[in-house]
Amino acid sequence: DIQMTQSPSSLSASVGDRVTITCRASQGISNYLAWYQQKPGKVPKLLIYAASTLQSGVPSRFSGSGSGTDFTLTISSLQPEDVATYYCQKYNSAPLTFGQGTRLEIK
Amino acid sequence: QVQLVESGGGVVQPGRSLRLSCAASGFTFSRYGMHWVRQAPGKGLEWVAIISYDGSNKYYADSVKGRFTISRDNSKNSLYVQMNSLRPEDTAVYYCARDRGNGWDHDAFDIWGQGTMVTVSS
């Protein structure tokens, strides 16, 4: 099975910073990659699918890139409401594996 | 509005069974693939199972294969998971989630329920 590895596992940044989270697949998955945001105590929310397509209603400061095995989620200007854990997920074929998550905090 | 509502969680002894339900509303349920995803306390997300829009195609995570069965009733706009031979490591919040596609070609999960807690303990 394909493994999904996120880095870093946790991250602290200041409001207004540019933040980048990386996700690496153990085998190529083309662009079958999604990013989710889970705020503390809340339900996961889809941010990006097809590696770079922004889900409707998601702020434009979020962006995704990559293809094959290496992907990134970028927040262009960190806001206080972005405190959350972020997960990547591959969905090219079952099992639809999630990464282990990246916890983002405000410095 | 588009909504998924899970039910059926609770405390169950190891080795026993439990059936979770997910009621869908606000969209044409029969057009979409559906998933179960779980999250153990303080842990990350774990995909559990998928069922295609018509119920003909199903896949499971290795951790639940042979113990869990996903099903759906499109006439009732409902998704289910029958969980047998439960283990303490099955303790988690269980979410149902909608696939952006029909479940044959997998896609991202765009709608999530609020989750139902399952605790497996003696």
Side-chain angles (χ1 to χ4, degrees), chain A residues 9-30:
Chain A
S9 296
S10 63
L11 173 60
S12 182
S14 299
V15 173
D17 281 356
R18 183 181 183 88
V19 171
T20 298
I21 298 169
T22 298
C23 178
R24 175 164 289 175
S26 59
Q27 299 176 40
I29 58 170
S30 184

Side-chain angles (χ1 to χ4, degrees), chain A residues 7 15 20 25 28 34 39-40 45 47 50 53 62 75 83 98 100 102:
Chain A
S7 60
V15 173
T20 298
K39 295 183 178 181
K45 172 187 174 183
L47 296 177
T53 302
F62 291 92
I75 306 172
V83 169
F98 290 92
Q100 82 278 14
T102 296

